[in-house]
Every structure is written in structure tokens, then in C-alpha cells.
Amino acid sequence: MNRKGRSASKKQSLGFFQCTNKIFLTDEATGQQIKEFARKNAANALSIANMVMGMASILSSLQGHHHAACWLVLIGYLLDLADGAVARRLGACSALGAKLDDFADFTTFGIATALLLRTTDLMDNILCVCYVLSVFVRLCFYTSGVPFMYRGLPCIYSSGILASASLLSGGNLPMLRIIAVAMILFMISQSFYPHDRVLESQAWKKAVYAGGVAMVFCSSFPPACVYYLLWSVSYILFPTSLWSNKV
């Protein structure tokens, strides 16, 4: 092969390697971008999943599927406890994430939970509206100004109590009305409650959460409802001694 042929061959080989290197670098950069996108939006995905559970619960209530509506709220309960922990773990806290979390909470623990009380009776509908408004007030205006503390009962626990009690009682309306009024008063109260970072605290709290996940697969059995009821009631009765954020 003459010199010109060897030179052309070298140029072609060099061009091939440069092209291959560019493709490899592009694929690597794309992979990094995908990983970064996943890191930043993992918690947002959990918040959106919580919102979807709330919307599905609303539709179930409107169609008369009471059992499914209650369990969808309880699944939202687990997702809400996870999204903040995931955001802090991945260093992905953001204003958008906070807004998504509030929207999801309002959907699942406000509207969807209130519809568990809905009947054709006017007073029950008024109670539903009052419950939704109390969740709205709790989410919008009850910042405590004290680190790691809430002012007013977090709406997730009032929803957990209502959904569990509704399942255990078969939708006993007189009892649910009393519980709903009590939960409204707890949510708009001036009492302080600890920030319960369940997945970032003691091992037994993580075990409680894991038990809650397991109970989802036992949704046909009353003990599963009792589990969520005791979990939620314990936060109201022993907020500081049990649920303060002690690592």
C-alpha cells in the first residue's frame, strides 16, 4: 500500500474511534442525566402516587366501593410518610416538592377522607365540607415556627383514624360523625405535635412502617385495620414520648 493509501486508512480509523468515543460519551452523559432526573423526582413521584390514591379513593366513594376507598386512603398514608424521607435522603427537597406534597395531602386526606362520611343527608354533607376546610386550614396556615414540630394534628393521622374506624365499623355513621368532629377540633387546635420522621428515626419506627406495608396485603382482615387505628391513635395520645424525632 502506498503512502497515500496508508494515510487515508489512518484517517478513517481515527475518525471511527472519534465517532465511537463521542457516542460513548453521549450515552454516558445521557445516563447521568437520567440518574439525576430520577434522584430529583423520586420524592415527587411518591407525592403524585399519593395524589393518585386520593383521586382513586374519591372515585371509589362516588361509585359506592367503600372498602376500596378506605384502603386507598391508607395506602396514601404510607406514601406520604415516605416522600419526605426520600427527598431528604436524596438531597432533593424543593419548593415544587413541597407544593406537590400539599396538593396530594389535600386530595387524599382532605377530599377523599371527607367523602367517606358522605351521604344524601344535608348535615353529613355540611360535615364533609367542614372536614375539607379544616384540612385546608391545617395545611395552609398552621406552620409552627418551631423546628421539628407541627401546630395542629397532621391530617394524615385524622384520615388514618377515620378510614380504619370506618372499615372496622362497617361504615357506622353515628360513630364516624363523632370521630370526624373530634378530628376537626384536633386539626385546628393550637397544640404542638412532633415531626414524625418515621423512616429516619429509631429502628422500631421503621418496623412499624414495614408492618403497615405488610398490612396492605392483609386488607381483607380486621386486624389490618386495627393496626392502622392503633398507629394513628398512638400519635395523638403519646406524641412526644413515642413519636418525637429521636434518632
Side-chain angles (χ1 to χ4, degrees):
M1 184 181 294
N2 58 32
R3 292 183 179 179
K4 289 184 179 181
R6 287 196 295 271
S7 178
S9 178
K10 287 182 180 178
K11 286 181 180 179
Q12 288 176 353
S13 299
L14 182 60
F16 173 77
F17 285 120
Q18 286 177 339
C19 183
T20 303
N21 193 38
K22 285 181 180 179
I23 292 172
F24 177 76
L25 291 175
T26 301
D27 288 344
E28 186 178 8
T30 302
Q32 290 295 330
Q33 289 174 351
I34 291 172
K35 289 180 181 178
E36 183 65 11
F37 179 84
R39 183 188 71 80
K40 288 183 177 179
N41 291 283
N44 293 343
L46 290 173
S47 294
I48 291 171
N50 180 12
M51 191 182 301
V52 169
M53 293 301 106
M55 291 187 289
S57 178
I58 291 168
L59 292 174
S60 296
S61 291
L62 295 176
Q63 293 174 2
H65 303 307
H66 185 76
H67 186 273
C70 291
W71 273 103
L72 286 164
V73 168
L74 293 176
I75 293 172
Y77 182 110
L78 296 171
L79 292 169
D80 185 62
L81 289 172
D83 61 5
V86 169
R88 288 184 289 272
R89 177 73 175 177
L90 298 178
C93 298
S94 65
L96 173 61
K99 290 179 181 178
L100 277 175
D101 185 51
D102 282 346
F103 286 142
D105 288 353
F106 184 70
T107 302
T108 304
F109 309 128
I111 300 172
T113 302
L115 285 178
L116 300 179
L117 309 165
R118 178 179 170 271
T119 66
T120 56
D121 186 80
L122 176 62
M123 294 307 295
D124 285 333
N125 291 327
I126 291 174
L127 180 60
C128 288
V129 171
C130 290
Y131 189 90
V132 172
L133 289 175
S134 67
V135 171
F136 175 78
V137 169
R138 168 65 186 75
L139 290 172
C140 291
F141 303 113
Y142 272 47
T143 54
S144 69
V146 179
F148 306 113
M149 296 294 286
Y150 298 114
R151 185 156 58 91
L153 178 68
C155 52
I156 179 177
Y157 292 105
S158 59
S159 290
I161 290 171
L162 272 169
S164 302
S166 183
L167 287 166
L168 288 168
S169 67
N172 185 294
L173 281 171
M175 184 185 73
L176 292 178
R177 289 170 188 144
I178 294 170
I179 294 174
V181 171
M183 294 301 101
I184 289 171
L185 294 176
F186 275 118
M187 283 190 287
I188 63 174
S189 72
Q190 301 295 309
S191 302
F192 287 94
Y193 293 89
H195 194 294
D196 54 329
R197 295 185 176 182
V198 174
L199 294 176
E200 302 164 89
S201 192
Q202 297 104 312
W204 71 265
K205 294 181 184 177
K206 297 174 184 177
V208 168
Y209 184 90
V213 174
M215 288 298 118
V216 171
F217 300 97
C218 305
S219 59
S220 299
F221 302 100
C225 308
V226 173
Y227 189 92
Y228 282 96
L229 183 62
L230 292 176
W231 183 356
S232 301
V233 169
S234 71
Y235 182 84
I236 296 176
L237 297 179
F238 312 106
T240 304
S241 59
L242 281 180
W243 295 104
S244 59
N245 187 39
K246 297 175 182 176
V247 180

